[in-house]
Amino acid sequence: MTTPMLLVTATVLGLLAFFEPCTIATHTLFSVRTHGSARAHRGRELLTLWLTRSALSVGLLLFGVAVTTPPGWGRVLPGVALMLMASLYLASRFVYIPVPHFEFWRMLLRAVELPQAIKLGATLPACTLPLFVILAALSITLDSPAAAVGAGLLFAAFFTLPTALTAYAGLSQGGRDFLHAAALATAYLTAGLLYGVAAYLLL
């Protein structure tokens, strides 16, 4: 694992995180509501979302790097783990898997009164958890706080980018159809990528 590989992985996982079924609906609603507000307010909302998500992502990755030592994964264990994650993604399309959202905002003072942008940014949705676990495992393996910071910022930025684009450009019927199709297909795409990397590691 090298720093460029980690940063590229963080970018891809961040984009996939937005299109996961349990995140795309909430983020689309947020962007549609934000699109109807004044430009200055829209900018503040999106900046708050990105900063909150960046702080959470970077904080969790730095914590993982700080409290663990780089393990010797080998090739078999990561490959098997990725195959299991991919299988869970496929199973989630047909069977409800009761994994809760990690709502870190509930730990903050006066949590109920917090703006929606902070609540959204300080939540790690259930369907993105395997993606973030992969990012955390890679950051721990590289054992570089600076790389972990970069990975966290990129994950947060590309997770938030589609929301910002739809908030400023608006969402046409064609855009809604695309997001609906993407939400249906992303689990298969994610599973395919995980299976592919697992096969590479195992073979």
Side-chain angles (χ1 to χ4, degrees):
M1 172 54 58
T2 62
T3 298
M5 289 176 61
L6 175 63
L7 299 181
V8 169
T9 301
T11 299
V12 174
L13 294 180
L15 281 174
L16 286 175
F18 171 82
F19 289 101
E20 290 297 335
C22 74
T23 60
I24 196 169
T26 53
H27 285 70
T28 299
L29 288 173
F30 176 82
S31 63
V32 169
R33 192 196 76 228
T34 306
H35 178 70
S37 61
R39 189 176 185 87
H41 180 264
R42 190 186 316 161
R44 287 194 299 271
E45 287 279 280
L46 292 169
L47 182 61
T48 300
L49 173 62
W50 175 70
L51 288 175
T52 305
R53 178 165 289 146
S54 296
L56 177 64
S57 301
V58 170
L60 290 176
L61 293 181
L62 284 178
F63 178 78
V65 170
V67 302
T68 59
T69 56
W73 300 108
R75 285 180 175 265
V76 175
L77 183 59
V80 171
L82 290 175
M83 290 183 69
L84 289 174
M85 288 184 181
S87 300
L88 284 175
Y89 267 104
L90 291 180
S92 69
R93 304 306 300 149
F94 308 100
V95 179
Y96 172 68
I97 300 176
V99 179
H101 297 322
F102 286 81
E103 297 176 321
F104 292 94
W105 58 269
R106 294 188 181 278
M107 303 167 60
L108 302 175
L109 294 175
R110 304 179 68 177
V112 178
E113 302 174 14
L114 291 172
Q116 184 62 26
I118 293 179
K119 292 180 179 179
L120 203 59
T123 297
L124 194 58
C127 55
T128 67
L129 185 59
L131 303 179
F132 197 82
V133 167
I134 292 171
L135 188 60
L138 295 177
S139 298
I140 290 169
T141 301
L142 190 57
D143 194 30
S144 168
V149 170
L153 290 175
L154 282 172
F155 179 84
F158 282 89
F159 191 171
T160 308
L161 179 61
T163 305
L165 292 176
T166 52
Y168 276 100
L171 196 59
S172 64
Q173 185 58 49
R176 294 174 190 272
D177 293 341
F178 168 76
L179 292 178
H180 177 70
L184 295 176
T186 298
Y188 299 103
L189 173 61
T190 302
L193 290 173
L194 295 180
Y195 277 130
V197 175
Y200 172 79
L201 292 175
L202 293 172
L203 300 178

